[in-house]
Amino acid sequence: MPEAKQKNRRQVVEEARRAALDGDWDGAIAINRELLERDPKDSAAYNRIGRAYLEQRDYSAAYEAYSDALKSDPANLISRRNLQRLEYLRSGKASNDAPPTVFPRTLVFIEAVGKTWVDEL
């Protein structure tokens, strides 16, 4: 019996995005870790893992994931911005009345460099 054909990177990335959109954060983490096994410097996978941990309110794991993204790509604006948000939470300046995952409106969308923009309506 022939071995099942291995999924290409694009298919796995799409699975990771679908898991995130469905709110399957554990699944999203597992799928992105699979991507990191293929390419340990995949900063987008680290960013997606960071987002999943944010949603699970595991801020130390999110901070670590975003830090790893920044190590593999020092110019990564998404990880830099999310690290700043996590620092803001750590500093205690966030309102005690606000839920812990409330960030500025840019967190409403799943970001991808070169594929995200803000437009005036």
Side-chain angles (χ1 to χ4, degrees):
M1 186 174 201
E3 203 173 302
K5 186 176 177 182
Q6 185 179 11
K7 296 176 187 172
N8 68 36
R9 183 182 181 290
R10 181 176 288 165
Q11 290 170 318
V12 179
V13 168
E14 186 53 40
E15 283 181 18
R17 288 184 181 147
R18 176 60 40 207
L21 290 172
D22 292 343
D24 177 11
W25 302 114
D26 289 328
I29 291 167
I31 294 167
N32 283 295
R33 293 223 182 272
E34 179 185 329
L35 285 165
L36 289 172
E37 288 175 14
R38 294 178 182 199
D39 179 10
K41 293 188 179 241
D42 185 348
S43 62
Y46 283 119
N47 281 334
R48 288 188 296 271
I49 290 171
R51 173 62 190 259
Y53 281 128
L54 272 178
E55 291 296 329
Q56 293 179 334
R57 298 181 184 202
D58 185 344
Y59 301 126
S60 62
Y63 192 90
E64 185 178 329
Y66 287 126
S67 294
D68 289 340
L70 207 53
K71 286 176 195 169
S72 64
D73 178 11
N76 190 308
L77 297 177
I78 295 169
S79 55
R80 188 176 308 277
R81 188 173 328 141
N82 284 307
L83 284 169
Q84 289 172 344
R85 291 173 180 158
L86 286 165
E87 286 294 334
Y88 180 75
L89 282 177
R90 281 184 175 179
S91 71
K93 293 178 184 174
S95 169
N96 291 335
D97 298 331
T101 56
V102 173
F103 291 119
R105 74 180 179 104
T106 57
L107 195 60
V108 171
F109 300 100
I110 296 174
E111 300 176 64
V113 173
K115 298 178 184 176
T116 306
W117 67 91
V118 175
D119 202 357
E120 295 296 322
L121 298 177

